[in-house]
Amino acid sequence: MKRKMHFITVILLVVFISATLITGCSKTDEGAEYPEGPITMIVNYGGGGGTDISARAYAKAVEKHLDVPITVVNKEGGVGTTGIIEMLNKKPDGYTFGVATYSPVAIVPHQMDVPYVPEDFSYICGYGQYKYGIAVLDDSPFETVEDLIEAAREKDGGLSYAASGYPQPFICEKLSKLEDIELVLVPTGSGAETNTMLMGGHVPFIVAIMSDLKPFIESGEMRLLASVSGDRLEIAPDVPTLQEMGYGIEINSYLGLAAHKDVPEDRMDVLREAFEKAFDDEEFQDVMKKAQIPARFFPAEEWERICIEGYQEAEENLREMGLID
């Protein structure tokens, strides 16, 4: 009888341990399974632009690993800061996170009064690098960047241009200082709105990410005057970079994801693991390629380092340019 009771006890113990191992990996320190329901991803730019398209594709890929839906919400404005602030104002329970692109995290806080610094985030990952270009309408009289500069020099008040947020304006601010001209920013809420400003004839040129410019360049409605990234662009290999033109200017920026710093770490780990697994998803990679956004994965620690160091570098650069005190 004792042997039988001992045998039953062993079986029950094995069942208990097995159940603990199976369910323990999906439970948080608070004891509740995570995620139990839908998660919201806030995109900090408007719909239809490269940031929005890539974020939606990534969210779709991640759903396969979390087994819950991810609702994507666009909150544009404040050169990318409005959506980030919206995300930080939500309950830090892991059910809201957002696209926290490099510029609104590392650059804009030096120029606008925003209620955050890079240390206020818990980082998920970085997942892409923006490429930028200067574009005009196909029938524009401007054939080169030098043409733009001369026109700005001759026109009272200079030339206006559109861009959806930093770091794009850095290009024109640096050109303005180098050439002693005025290039006046008309800020927009998204890449799609930036394109509309040019297509509607409201500005003579724009500075935008290649994912937003690509369809218009392919259709022949726009022309690229320069790559403002470190290398020539795949879609226009004959168009030189500003570096090659002798201006010594380039900009780099990245796409990434973050949540409120108070989200429990075990829940952040669930998100980080899911996004890392989803990065190689074929559909997501295809969207990134078509959008002309080079896909690059930065683990949470590296993405955090990039943003914090970028914040420090931006302060130095902006001060040197006379844009902040």
Side-chain angles (χ1 to χ4, degrees), residues 53-54 56-62 64-65 274-291 293 295:
I53 292 170
S54 64
R56 288 177 183 274
Y58 207 1
K60 182 179 178 181
V62 170
K64 303 172 187 177
H65 299 277
F275 274 96
E276 184 170 5
K277 288 180 178 178
F279 182 75
D280 292 324
D281 181 87
E282 289 185 10
E283 290 185 24
F284 167 64
Q285 289 289 330
D286 187 53
V287 168
M288 295 291 279
K289 185 175 182 179
K290 289 179 179 177
I293 301 176

Side-chain angles (χ1 to χ4, degrees), residues 89-311:
N89 285 335
K90 298 295 184 181
K91 183 179 179 180
D93 56 6
Y95 285 93
T96 302
F97 67 92
V99 176
T101 41
Y102 176 80
S103 175
V105 174
I107 300 173
V108 178
H110 294 296
Q111 300 174 291
M112 294 176 59
D113 184 17
V114 295
Y116 64 80
V117 291
E119 288 80 4
D120 290 327
F121 301 94
S122 184
Y123 294 83
I124 298 173
C125 67
Y127 65 92
Q129 182 174 358
Y130 289 120
K131 296 291 185 180
Y132 299 89
I134 297 175
V136 296
L137 290 176
D138 183 59
D139 60 359
S140 168
F142 305 127
E143 296 292 334
T144 64
V145 172
E146 288 78 7
D147 290 341
L148 287 178
I149 292 171
E150 287 306 312
R153 184 171 285 120
E154 295 172 4
K155 186 176 184 296
D156 289 341
L159 289 182
S160 60
Y161 70 98
S164 61
Y166 279 83
Q168 293 95 304
F170 276 162
I171 291 298
C172 293
E173 287 160 359
K174 290 180 179 180
L175 280 175
S176 295
K177 288 183 72 69
L178 284 172
E179 298 290 341
D180 192 25
I181 57 174
E182 285 190 72
L183 297 173
V184 183
L185 171 64
V186 179
T188 66
S190 68
E193 186 182 344
T194 300
N195 289 336
T196 299
M197 291 294 291
L198 182 61
M199 295 299 295
H202 304 291
V203 293
F205 75 99
I206 59 176
V207 183
I209 61 174
M210 288 311 303
S211 56
D212 296 332
L213 295 176
K214 181 185 176 184
F216 295 90
I217 292 173
E218 289 181 334
S219 69
E221 295 171 276
M222 293 184 189
R223 284 187 288 108
L224 200 65
L225 296 188
S227 164
V228 296
S229 297
D231 48 17
R232 295 193 180 199
L233 301 167
E234 182 180 334
I235 195 172
D238 296 331
V239 176
T241 67
L242 285 180
Q243 290 275 14
E244 291 175 311
M245 295 178 191
Y247 291 106
I249 302 172
E250 70 175 81
I251 55 173
N252 291 291
S253 189
Y254 308 91
L255 297 94
L257 301 159
H260 193 289
K261 67 178 180 180
D262 292 335
V263 173
E265 192 63 18
D266 52 351
R267 295 190 175 189
M268 290 301 303
D269 287 341
V270 171
L271 291 174
R272 289 166 183 150
E273 182 179 356
F275 274 96
E276 184 170 5
K277 288 180 178 178
F279 182 75
D280 292 324
D281 181 87
E282 289 185 10
E283 290 185 24
F284 167 64
Q285 289 289 330
D286 187 53
V287 168
M288 295 291 279
K289 185 175 182 179
K290 289 179 179 177
Q292 296 283 302
I293 301 176
R296 294 184 61 188
F297 186 81
F298 303 101
E301 298 82 4
E302 187 174 359
W303 179 226
E304 180 177 14
R305 178 188 60 76
I306 288 171
C307 289
I308 291 176
E309 290 182 359
Y311 179 82

